[in-house]
Amino acid sequence: MKMVTFFLVGLAVHVVFFISIFDIYFTSPLVHGMTPQPMPLPPPASRLVLLVADGLRADSLYTLHPNGSSRAPYLRSVIEERGTWGVSHTHVPTESRPGHVALIAGFYEDVSAVAKGWKENPVEFDSVFNESRHTWCWGSPDILPMFAKGASGDHVYTHTYPAEEEDFASTDASRLDSWVFAQVKSFFHSAKSNSSLRASLQEDQNVFFLHLLGIDTNGHAHRPMSREYLDNIGLVDSGVAELVSVLEDFFSNDGRTAYVFTSDHGMTNWGSHGAGHPSETLTPLVVWGAGVHNAQRVTDPQPYTDGYSQDWKLEHLRRVDVNQADIAPLMASLIGVPIPLNSVGVLPLLYLNNSDQFKAESMYTNAIQILEQFQVKMTQKKETTLSFLFTQYQLLTESKQADLIRQARILMQLEKYEDAISLCRSLISQAQEGLVYYHTYDRFFLGCSVVLGFVGWTSYVVLVILKTHTSLRRPPSHVNQVHGRILVRLCVCVTVAITVFLLIQRSPVTYYIYCLLPVPVWYSVLKESGTLTDVIRSAPSLPLCKCFGYFVLVTFGVELLVVSFFHRAMLTVGLAALSLWPVLSGLYDKAKFRSVSWLLGCLFLAAFPLMPVVGREPNIPTVTCAGLLTLFTSACYLWSSQQRAPLHLSDRQQFFPQMLHVAVCAYMPTLTHSSLQQKQGLPLLNQIISWTTLGSSILVPLLSSTRLFHRLLSIFLSLTATYLLLSTGSEALFPPVLSWLMYVWINIEQEALLSQGVSSRQELSTIDFSENIDITRIRQLKLDDIRRSYFFVFFIITAFFGTGNIASINSFDPASVYCFLTVFNPFIMGGLMMWKVIIPFIIVMCTFETIQVTTQLSSRSLFLIVLVISDLMALHFFFLVQDYGSWLNIGTSISHYVIVMSMTIFLMLLSVVTHILTSRRLTLWQRRKMHFP
């Protein structure tokens, strides 16, 4: 197979493996076709006000000042006198969109939904807003439109401020909340003179939604412990008090308004959110008004052992914790609208101040609503599965469903409401388990298909390595041709059988891909089975002990890399072990200076995985120090290069402006953050320099000489300049230290090549990337090349995790992109952060490209070994993916698999990019021909 064909096939196979995880573990759980279940009894409230303080932590609201006063006196008085309070437990990812979907629609968005869109509705879903008679919304343009678009009809009205207002560099982000409160007051004031609007407002089943983004914006910009964040809470509290006064006055104090105050997610101390830290998942919930219990004083210990009630001085008041999705059925019950069709929330009865009959009927409606989802899911699976293969969920068969429903109705007729409520809770629990059962029904079947394809592909790559890059050669024979024809017929029969089976079951298109992919893969493996036979025959002549030793070391090394995804400190252990390589291999005796440099480089790099994750401790002066270190190392190289041969004028014209540029970029974060702290906004000049640096980071190196170290230095300076602009602390030191180690690795590999008896090696200073490779000097693979490939994979993983855990969403810190923009834009900010992650990746890739050139190997040879190592890791993580347990574990398991698969795909794509980056040259003007000495 030609290299281009192999590359495209490999890319396609890995894209399929990458996508498969979403079909197997993270397909949308939503089903359609259910009937809305109306509340049978009159509701206690005619209207509901939902206030969501975006990014508000539970402790930030509930904790008192040292003098005993509250930063939210109005809400504190509600908690102590006329409302019920608790903690709403959110799910990962703790982001605004999934948080609001859980609050208003009652279900937790899965990864497939997030992957399909951010502001639009990736899947159709019902919500409390949709079920209401009218809903008026005020707030962020990132949240409100998705609920308006998802509503049937035109009864959801949104009022949003311009997206440009969401500026982290704003003088005062609390003005976003002031705008919302002002708009609401103006709205009700105008309604007094607008008869049609007033008539609509006087109807029942109305919802008013206030999305308050100021707290979240101030938290990102200044951290949750800042004065700005805490003062914003006070502003919201006074705004809520004034809002209640306006509404009660408008509705003549009719006592028919219910209020729900909560948050979509919390925030870490370092101003980020997205993962499962308690500061992100614990949010406040305060409910008061029509149909809600007043404050209940308690003397007995409450069923919470976290100690928060005591810390907040609220242990004397009944606390009622809920899951975030439970708030949707609570709101629906208060105003008498059907619970959203896809809701999985369970009605928290302790908030309701109503009759036992109302509570029992509401819980029964909740149970029927969730049971209908189960029934639709079961019917769908039954229709797409052969009858003799279908296995029903035994705990909730159709007869058991009917029995439970009948028993619940009988208990309510007998006025045994507590027993009816208990039975409905049991029915809800079983229906939720049944939903999971049918949702994961095909998982084992699909998992086996993907694993079969994974193992087949890895086996094929190993056979290709043995066949084309070792001394094994097998000429075609007549017997092989006969076996090949039989193999083709067998594969055709298997393909037809699988296709017919999937057609009968009416399986989705992706099922055909996952089930049919192993057929051509294993055909290729079996077709090359003769190579495996040759290996077995030549085994007696191989250094078996050395081969076994390499196998054990690589296996241990792969496991160490897998563990490093969970514990970054394992990278430190690995680097410490790698630092001893020159001593163990005997290179220390031949190249003492380079060996000591390797040892020091490994040990310095080993310090980074032990440092805090990026974003927790901003330290802008460290960024400046990193710039100085970059300039120092660059100057040292140029000085040593000048000693060997004078630099050409063109090189000096390239390097000195680049070094000056690095100096400017090293100081740019200091200027930017100083301006933002003084509330002066992002200076336009800083923004221009930052975006220009980013845009030129790939182009500038193409203007430099293609001589080996000259081109690498230009790449290093260009990429480091961009990295400095995206840094806020010690991570800025990572590229200079990594580049130093990569420089030593290139040099020490030359010594390793000499120790292997390769006498035709070139001096590094004479190698030119642009020279055509002499095919006669390309050598075959040796066992030591497995070590080179493993080093590369190890450094790639170190580049990913050395400065932070990118598998955790809350490692993202908006402050990293403040040199480029401060107005909230998830796509641009996410893209900049991804580029920051990729920069160390490119440095390692360029080094690996260099080593392939200097060790006289074809680019395909080492890459195939790297592919095998990466695929073994990916297969390992495939088995570790889970969708049960804590949401933090679920999110971590999928992100690990996605990272490894993305890494493998990126390796394929970046191998082409780095080849261009190192070997191509742009000529802006004609230069006279120069001769290198």
Side-chain angles (χ1 to χ4, degrees):
M1 189 184 291
K2 294 182 179 180
M3 184 60 182
V4 176
T5 307
F6 182 86
F7 175 85
L8 294 176
V9 170
L11 185 61
V13 168
H14 283 83
V15 168
V16 171
F17 292 156
F18 177 83
I19 296 174
S20 69
I21 200 69
F22 297 100
D23 263 334
I24 295 173
Y25 288 95
F26 299 99
T27 52
S28 176
L30 301 189
V31 291
H32 301 285
M34 293 81 68
T35 304
Q37 299 295 319
M39 295 290 179
L41 298 177
S46 298
R47 66 200 70 89
L48 180 134
V49 180
L50 172 63
L51 304 109
V52 178
D54 202 306
L56 176 60
R57 294 162 43 149
D59 60 340
S60 296
L61 178 69
Y62 293 143
T63 302
L64 298 175
H65 289 302
N67 62 5
S69 63
S70 172
R71 63 176 57 97
Y74 178 77
L75 288 172
R76 186 77 179 195
S77 69
V78 168
I79 293 171
E80 294 180 344
E81 297 170 9
R82 52 196 175 92
T84 300
W85 76 284
V87 173
S88 170
H89 297 263
T90 69
H91 281 190
V92 173
T94 45
E95 298 289 347
S96 291
R97 178 197 162 90
H100 280 87
V101 169
L103 284 170
I104 300 166
F107 71 93
Y108 303 104
E109 270 195 316
D110 62 291
V111 177
S112 66
V114 178
K116 294 175 184 175
W118 182 269
K119 298 177 184 177
E120 299 298 330
N121 286 348
V123 289
E124 293 299 323
F125 60 84
D126 192 20
S127 70
V128 173
F129 295 174
N130 186 47
E131 296 292 350
S132 69
R133 191 178 305 278
H134 300 285
T135 294
W136 288 271
C137 312
W138 296 267
S140 167
D142 295 326
I143 298 299
L144 305 192
M146 69 177 178
F147 292 103
K149 183 177 179 180
S152 57
D154 57 354
H155 63 283
V156 178
Y157 314 100
T158 61
H159 307 271
T160 64
Y161 40 74
E164 294 75 21
E165 293 295 316
E166 299 175 18
D167 190 349
F168 295 132
S170 166
T171 53
D172 186 8
S174 64
R175 75 180 192 280
L176 299 177
D177 299 340
S178 298
W179 182 93
V180 170
F181 288 120
Q183 289 290 314
V184 175
K185 285 188 289 184
S186 174
F187 172 79
F188 279 100
H189 179 73
S190 64
K192 292 179 179 180
S193 57
N194 186 329
S195 58
S196 60
L197 177 58
R198 184 178 179 86
S200 297
L201 290 172
Q202 293 292 348
E203 293 180 295
D204 59 358
Q205 299 184 341
N206 284 341
V207 176
F208 305 97
F209 172 43
L210 282 69
H211 177 237
L212 307 168
L213 187 63
I215 293 175
D216 183 75
T217 306
N218 271 320
H220 285 308
H222 306 290
R223 305 295 186 265
M225 302 303 172
S226 66
R227 179 181 57 80
E228 290 84 356
Y229 182 91
L230 299 177
D231 286 351
N232 203 153
I233 296 174
L235 182 145
V236 166
D237 180 73
S238 60
V240 172
E242 193 172 354
L243 171 72
V244 172
S245 176
V246 169
L247 263 71
E248 293 300 327
D249 177 65
F250 184 87
F251 292 110
S252 304
N253 295 294
D254 63 357
R256 298 281 295 170
T257 307
Y259 300 89
V260 176
F261 180 90
T262 186
S263 175
D264 54 346
H265 57 75
M267 186 172 290
T268 62
N269 289 339
W270 50 97
S272 64
H273 53 82
H277 191 274
S279 61
E280 300 165 89
T281 60
L282 302 183
T283 59
L285 175 61
V286 184
V287 187
W288 72 100
V292 180
H293 268 302
N294 290 331
Q296 302 289 306
R297 298 190 177 275
V298 294
T299 55
D300 297 331
Q302 300 193 60
Y304 303 103
T305 58
D306 50 28
Y308 292 131
S309 298
Q310 290 77 13
D311 295 341
W312 301 331
K313 306 293 189 262
L314 290 170
E315 67 274 13
H316 62 289
L317 297 172
R318 185 173 66 177
R319 167 182 164 185
V320 183
D321 284 13
V322 300
N323 288 319
Q324 195 172 45
D326 299 341
I327 297 175
L330 173 63
M331 294 191 294
S333 175
L334 287 171
I335 58 173
V337 300
I339 297 174
L341 296 176
N342 298 114
S343 171
V344 294
V346 181
L347 179 62
L349 295 179
L350 291 178
Y351 278 89
L352 297 180
N353 181 18
N354 216 312
S355 66
D356 290 342
Q357 181 187 6
F358 180 87
K359 294 179 181 179
E361 290 284 1
S362 298
M363 185 58 73
Y364 176 79
T365 303
N366 194 182
I368 296 298
Q369 169 259 327
I370 294 178
L371 183 63
E372 275 216 343
Q373 295 181 64
F374 168 80
Q375 291 169 341
V376 170
K377 196 81 171 177
M378 181 182 70
T379 302
Q380 289 179 351
K381 188 52 61 182
K382 197 171 184 178
E383 289 175 350
T384 57
T385 306
L386 294 174
S387 58
F388 66 90
L389 293 177
F390 180 73
T391 305
Q392 195 171 17
Y393 181 62
Q394 295 302 314
L395 294 179
L396 207 58
T397 60
E398 293 177 357
S399 60
K400 290 182 179 179
Q401 294 174 40
D403 287 342
L404 289 171
I405 292 172
R406 187 178 66 256
Q407 289 176 32
R409 292 306 319 173
I410 292 173
L411 288 171
M412 283 190 286
Q413 290 170 5
L414 296 174
E415 298 185 359
K416 295 182 178 180
Y417 298 121
E418 289 295 331
D419 293 339
I421 290 172
S422 178
L423 184 63
C424 288
R425 289 187 191 277
S426 175
L427 179 57
I428 289 174
S429 177
Q430 292 180 12
Q432 289 176 333
E433 291 175 4
L435 278 170
V436 173
Y437 173 80
Y438 286 118
H439 185 61
T440 60
Y441 195 84
D442 294 330
R443 179 169 299 174
F444 180 76
F445 168 66
L446 292 177
C448 289
S449 298
V450 171
V451 169
L452 201 60
F454 237 127
V455 174
W457 169 256
T458 307
S459 303
Y460 175 68
V461 174
V462 171
L463 291 174
V464 168
I465 294 172
L466 294 173
K467 180 181 178 181
T468 60
H469 298 283
T470 63
S471 57
L472 295 175
R473 291 289 186 271
R474 167 176 280 262
S477 65
H478 176 69
V479 175
N480 287 345
Q481 293 174 1
V482 173
H483 288 168
R485 286 195 292 270
I486 296 174
L487 199 56
V488 169
R489 292 169 187 165
L490 178 63
C491 289
V492 169
C493 292
V494 172
T495 301
V496 171
I498 293 174
T499 304
V500 170
F501 174 75
L502 295 176
L503 279 171
I504 293 173
Q505 296 216 131
R506 289 182 288 174
S507 300
V509 175
T510 51
Y511 281 36
Y512 290 84
I513 299 173
Y514 304 141
C515 296
L516 293 176
L517 179 63
V519 178
V521 170
W522 278 101
Y523 166 75
S524 302
V525 172
L526 296 174
K527 189 178 177 182
E528 301 293 345
S529 58
T531 303
L532 186 59
T533 305
D534 289 345
V535 171
I536 295 172
R537 288 175 179 171
S538 60
S541 62
L542 296 174
L544 294 179
C545 291
K546 191 174 182 180
C547 291
F548 180 75
Y550 267 94
F551 174 77
V552 172
L553 288 175
V554 170
T555 302
F556 175 78
V558 169
E559 288 303 309
L560 184 142
L561 289 177
V562 169
V563 175
S564 71
F565 275 65
F566 300 94
H567 307 284
R568 291 170 57 232
M570 292 306 297
L571 292 173
T572 300
V573 175
L575 285 165
L578 259 58
S579 68
L580 301 176
W581 164 57
V583 178
L584 299 176
S585 62
L587 289 174
Y588 177 78
D589 297 329
K590 302 173 183 177
K592 287 185 172 58
F593 179 75
R594 290 177 178 177
S595 297
V596 172
S597 299
W598 170 267
L599 173 69
L600 294 176
C602 286
L603 294 180
F604 279 126
L605 196 66
F608 285 94
L610 299 177
M611 293 182 181
V613 174
V614 173
R616 298 194 179 189
E617 297 293 339
N619 190 348
I620 302 301
T622 308
V623 179
T624 306
C625 293
L628 295 176
L629 178 62
T630 301
L631 295 176
F632 175 74
T633 53
S634 302
C636 288
Y637 166 74
L638 292 175
W639 178 80
S640 63
S641 178
Q642 181 77 12
Q643 299 304 307
R644 293 192 297 269
L647 285 174
H648 292 287
L649 177 62
S650 61
D651 294 327
R652 289 198 295 271
Q653 290 175 342
Q654 173 85 18
F655 292 137
F656 293 146
Q658 277 193 274
M659 293 174 69
L660 180 62
H661 186 208
V662 168
V664 172
C665 291
Y667 192 57
M668 196 61 58
T670 302
L671 290 175
T672 299
H673 286 264
S674 174
S675 177
L676 297 183
Q677 286 177 353
Q678 296 172 18
K679 305 292 179 69
Q680 296 176 355
L682 174 60
L684 179 61
L685 178 61
N686 294 22
Q687 201 170 11
I688 292 172
I689 292 174
S690 299
W691 283 107
T692 304
T693 301
L694 176 68
S696 63
S697 58
I698 291 295
L699 296 177
V700 170
L702 298 178
L703 301 174
S704 66
S705 166
T706 53
R707 293 175 71 179
L708 191 142
F709 284 125
H710 288 190
R711 173 56 63 91
L712 292 179
L713 177 61
S714 181
I715 293 171
F716 165 61
L717 289 171
S718 183
L719 294 180
T720 302
T722 306
Y723 199 91
L724 291 172
L725 294 172
L726 291 167
S727 298
T728 60
S730 58
E731 81 273 14
L733 296 166
F734 188 72
V737 175
L738 177 66
S739 300
W740 170 31
L741 183 58
M742 294 298 98
Y743 174 77
V744 176
W745 185 26
I746 293 170
N747 281 277
I748 206 167
E749 283 292 357
Q750 284 292 94
E751 299 298 332
L753 201 64
L754 185 62
S755 67
Q756 294 172 6
V758 180
S759 57
S760 58
R761 68 174 187 138
Q762 285 182 273
E763 285 295 327
L764 294 176
S765 59
T766 64
I767 296 176
D768 195 308
F769 278 119
S770 63
E771 290 180 353
N772 292 325
I773 298 175
D774 186 354
I775 298 177
T776 61
R777 296 171 64 183
I778 296 296
R779 61 179 177 83
Q780 292 181 343
L781 287 171
K782 299 179 180 293
L783 280 174
D784 205 39
D785 293 320
I786 299 176
R787 189 261 312 156
R788 291 187 177 94
S789 300
Y790 177 76
F791 276 17
F792 168 69
V793 175
F794 185 92
F795 288 132
I796 283 290
I797 300 298
T798 304
F800 266 132
F801 290 101
T803 59
N805 180 10
I806 66 167
S808 175
I809 302 174
N810 75 352
S811 292
F812 172 74
D813 180 7
S816 299
V817 300
Y818 283 174
C819 289
F820 294 85
L821 78 165
T822 54
V823 177
F824 178 70
N825 188 311
F827 293 110
I828 295 178
M829 288 180 167
L832 289 170
M833 293 306 300
M834 281 306 301
W835 182 241
K836 181 180 178 181
V837 170
I838 291 172
I839 284 175
F841 199 107
I842 294 176
I843 292 174
V844 177
M845 283 291 295
C846 289
T847 304
F848 193 57
E849 177 79 14
T850 304
I851 287 174
Q852 289 178 139
V853 172
T854 59
T855 57
Q856 302 163 10
L857 275 171
S858 71
S859 58
R860 183 180 181 183
S861 303
L862 289 181
F863 181 75
L864 290 177
I865 301 176
V866 168
L867 203 57
V868 171
I869 295 174
S870 301
D871 284 345
L872 290 175
M873 290 178 60
L875 186 60
H876 196 131
F877 281 116
F878 182 84
F879 288 113
L880 292 177
V881 171
Q882 62 185 59
D883 65 344
Y884 57 88
S886 74
W887 281 84
L888 177 60
N889 292 337
I890 294 170
T892 302
S893 68
I894 183 177
S895 61
H896 287 166
Y897 178 78
V898 167
I899 288 169
V900 174
M901 288 306 301
S902 301
M903 183 187 77
T904 306
I905 295 171
F906 271 138
L907 284 176
M908 295 180 175
L909 297 175
L910 282 184
S911 63
V912 177
V913 174
T914 50
H915 178 72
I916 296 172
L917 193 60
T918 54
S919 61
R920 297 290 185 266
R921 187 173 187 180
L922 291 177
T923 305
L924 298 182
W925 55 83
Q926 191 66 34
R927 300 179 182 180
R928 63 186 181 85
K929 185 176 181 181
M930 294 183 294
H931 298 278
F932 295 125

